[in-house]
């Protein structure tokens, strides 16, 4: 039985990832701040990713019952500076954004690493975005200028770096670590302006969460293929 944890699984793309993994027969812990928001077919697990004690408690709950974790999807994030020009962004915008999408990822991953190692064939999927790509941003390639968000985009650049550093260290441990871009999806995060559904956005994360043992690690991709860092 494969055991998965998806953070931010109460709505948006995370909810769809949790549903799709459960649909593939996994036991899915839906990391949520409000347990009533966990999708049907999943097990609600109270988890505010900014709360280290909550992350350790979550690891204890999973560990006591299953002794391992096979899939961790670091999905929870927020954008603290939508519509704010880079020069107007303050450290407060940065802190709120990084607290969830950067420090939260490290908090949860650090708490889950012993269980992921115990799996022997674990997958970590980090939900990032092409907006975090320094290569695309510096080339101004395909990046809508309205989406030049200093806090959000740089938090995802940090997440990309975190993805590579975890992947490099964990190579050979059976833990594959990859970053994915779901594309522009209609969720609360985008004010429902995206052209893709949350279910479509979830698909690439599910693919990387269900990689076979010969799958890649340390990659960054969308449904259409590899993206430059
Ligand atoms: N939508 C897109 O077009 C798009 C594009 C590229 C990348 N992404 C990435 O895909 C992921 C999902 O995005 P989305 O569009 O589905 O966002 P969303 O609809 O705004 O949902 C965000 C999720 O994060 C959770 N969250 C926020 N703060 C949290 C905290 N402190 N602890 C635990 N959970 C917390 C929310 O939980 P609550 O319900 O409790 O608030 C919610 O479940 C994010 O990493 C985002 O950056 C999205």
């Amino acid at each position: 039985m494969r055991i998965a944890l998806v953070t931010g699984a109460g709505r948006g793309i995370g909810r769809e990832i949790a549903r799709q993994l459960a649909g593939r027969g996994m036991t899915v812990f839906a990391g949520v701040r409000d347990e009533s928001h966990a999708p049907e077919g999943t097990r609600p697990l109270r988890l505010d990713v900014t709360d280290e004690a909550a992350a350790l408690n979550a690891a204890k709950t999973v560990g006591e019952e299953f002794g391992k974790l096979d899939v961790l999807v670091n999905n929870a994030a927020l954008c603290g500076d939508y519509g704010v020009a880079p020069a107007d962004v303050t450290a407060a915008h940065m802190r709120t954004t990084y607290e969830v999408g950067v420090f939260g990822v490290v908090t949860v991953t650090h708490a889950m690493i012993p269980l992921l190692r115990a799996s022997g064939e674990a997958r970590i999927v980090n939900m990032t975005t092409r907006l975090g790509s320094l290569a695309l941003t510096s080339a101004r390639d395909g990046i809508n200028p309205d989406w030049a968000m200093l806090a959000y985009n740089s938090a995802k650049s940090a997440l990309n770096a975190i993805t590579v550093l975890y992947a490099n260290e964990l190579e050979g441990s059976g833990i594959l670590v990859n970053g994915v871009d779901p594309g522009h999806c209609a969720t609360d995060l985008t004010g429902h302006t995206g052209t893709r559904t949350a279910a479509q956005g979830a698909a690439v994360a599910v693919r990387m969460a269900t990689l076979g043992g010969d799958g890649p690690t340390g990659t960054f991709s969308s449904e259409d293929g590899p993206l430059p860092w």
Side-chain angles (χ1 to χ4, degrees), residues 48-125:
D48 181 329
V49 301
T50 66
D51 180 345
E52 191 179 0
L56 292 171
N57 256 334
K60 191 162 174 268
T61 300
V62 177
E64 280 176 359
E65 190 169 354
F66 297 103
K68 64 160 188 172
L69 181 65
D70 302 299
V71 171
L72 170 62
V73 183
N74 287 308
N75 168 78
L78 59 77
C79 173
D81 63 335
Y82 181 72
V84 183
D88 294 326
V89 167
T90 63
H93 291 114
M94 301 292 280
R95 279 193 195 98
T96 51
T97 306
Y98 276 56
E99 200 62 60
V100 180
V102 181
F103 308 149
V105 171
V106 173
T107 298
V108 174
T109 306
H110 181 253
M112 298 297 160
I113 282 283
L115 294 175
L116 292 162
R117 285 191 192 278
S119 158
E121 46 183 24
R123 312 289 175 251
I124 299 175
V125 182

Side-chain angles (χ1 to χ4, degrees), residues 2-192:
R2 300 279 287 166
I3 315 300
L5 167 62
V6 182
T7 67
R11 59 191 165 100
I13 299 167
R15 186 179 174 86
E16 283 300 326
I17 296 168
R19 280 160 45 100
Q20 291 181 24
L21 292 178
R24 287 174 173 240
M26 289 191 194
T27 294
V28 179
F29 285 94
V32 285
R33 292 191 288 184
D34 179 336
E35 293 179 32
S36 71
H37 292 169
E40 207 177 315
T42 66
R43 297 178 51 160
L45 187 61
R46 187 178 287 274
L47 181 55
D48 181 329
V49 301
T50 66
D51 180 345
E52 191 179 0
L56 292 171
N57 256 334
K60 191 162 174 268
T61 300
V62 177
E64 280 176 359
E65 190 169 354
F66 297 103
K68 64 160 188 172
L69 181 65
D70 302 299
V71 171
L72 170 62
V73 183
N74 287 308
N75 168 78
L78 59 77
C79 173
D81 63 335
Y82 181 72
V84 183
D88 294 326
V89 167
T90 63
H93 291 114
M94 301 292 280
R95 279 193 195 98
T96 51
T97 306
Y98 276 56
E99 200 62 60
V100 180
V102 181
F103 308 149
V105 171
V106 173
T107 298
V108 174
T109 306
H110 181 253
M112 298 297 160
I113 282 283
L115 294 175
L116 292 162
R117 285 191 192 278
S119 158
E121 46 183 24
R123 312 289 175 251
I124 299 175
V125 182
N126 292 332
M127 296 302 289
T128 175
T129 159
R130 69 195 67 205
L131 300 179
S133 164
L134 295 184
L136 294 177
T137 303
S138 57
R140 302 177 187 220
D141 181 3
I143 304 277
N144 181 332
D146 291 344
W147 299 340
M149 295 166 287
L150 188 64
Y152 180 76
N153 298 7
S154 69
K156 294 301 191 183
S157 303
L159 180 58
N160 288 354
I162 287 166
T163 301
V164 175
L165 287 160
Y166 279 145
N168 288 354
E169 189 203 342
L170 296 170
E171 197 161 15
S173 70
I175 306 176
L176 305 178
V177 190
N178 293 289
V180 300
D181 176 348
H184 190 209
C185 300
T187 63
D188 294 342
L189 186 86
T190 59
H192 294 267

Side-chain angles (χ1 to χ4, degrees), residues 184-186 192-197 200:
H184 190 209
C185 300
H192 294 267
T193 57
T195 51
R196 291 162 62 74
T197 64
Q200 288 172 322

